[in-house]
Amino acid sequence: QVQLVESGGGLVQAGGSLRLSCTAPGRTLSRNAMAWFRQAPGKEREFVAGISGSGFTTAYVDSVKGRFTISRDNAKNTFYLQMNSLKPEDTAVYYCALSEIVGSNIYRDSNWYPYWGQGTQVTVSS
């Protein structure tokens, strides 16, 4: 069983920034596609950003393009979600997710990700 550990959530004012981190103790992440999802109260979980196993391809939901950046540091076995210009509508629990897919593809469907973190709360005040 793979355990994903997230950190970096919190409370921030609109326009502020946060950086989420995700690592998997005891598991090398360098070849696997990974993604961030979020779930706001009363809403379905949605894909936010993904990065391919190769690290050369990224994808974002339209609402965060130009504000969020997903990246990975294979030397630290960690991947990140840098969130800038945060808006109140970004408020949600954010989850990192690990796929068994390697290579250059990214998948927006949560069914491709068998491993999930516990979630970290991001709250953006207006």
Side-chain angles (χ1 to χ4, degrees):
Q1 183 70 19
V2 176
Q3 179 185 12
L4 299 179
V5 180
E6 299 140 340
S7 60
L11 173 65
V12 64
Q13 289 187 332
S17 298
L18 286 173
R19 188 177 77 160
L20 306 183
S21 301
C22 179
T23 189
R27 167 72 185 253
T28 299
L29 302 177
S30 60
R31 298 177 64 239
N32 298 79
M34 302 192 73
W36 291 94
F37 289 76
R38 67 185 179 187
Q39 188 167 19
K43 295 187 177 181
E44 294 186 353
R45 187 173 298 187
E46 69 168 345
F47 172 87
V48 177
I51 187 166
S52 64
S54 66
F56 295 127
T57 307
T58 58
Y60 300 89
V61 67
D62 286 346
S63 60
V64 308
K65 285 181 180 178
R67 300 188 297 120
F68 290 12
T69 303
I70 188 171
S71 62
R72 64 195 308 156
D73 185 336
N74 289 338
K76 295 183 178 180
N77 206 40
T78 302
F79 79 114
Y80 305 96
L81 184 68
Q82 177 66 45
M83 305 185 293
N84 299 329
S85 302
L86 282 160
K87 303 176 180 180
E89 51 263 43
D90 295 317
T91 295
V93 178
Y94 284 71
Y95 299 88
C96 63
L98 171 68
S99 171
E100 294 288 7
I101 303 298
V102 299
S104 60
N105 292 329
I106 298 173
Y107 298 90
R108 298 173 182 256
D109 187 332
S110 61
N111 289 322
W112 286 100
Y113 299 88
Y115 309 112
W116 293 78
Q118 78 283 359
T120 185
Q121 177 70 46
V122 171
T123 303
V124 184
S125 62
S126 58

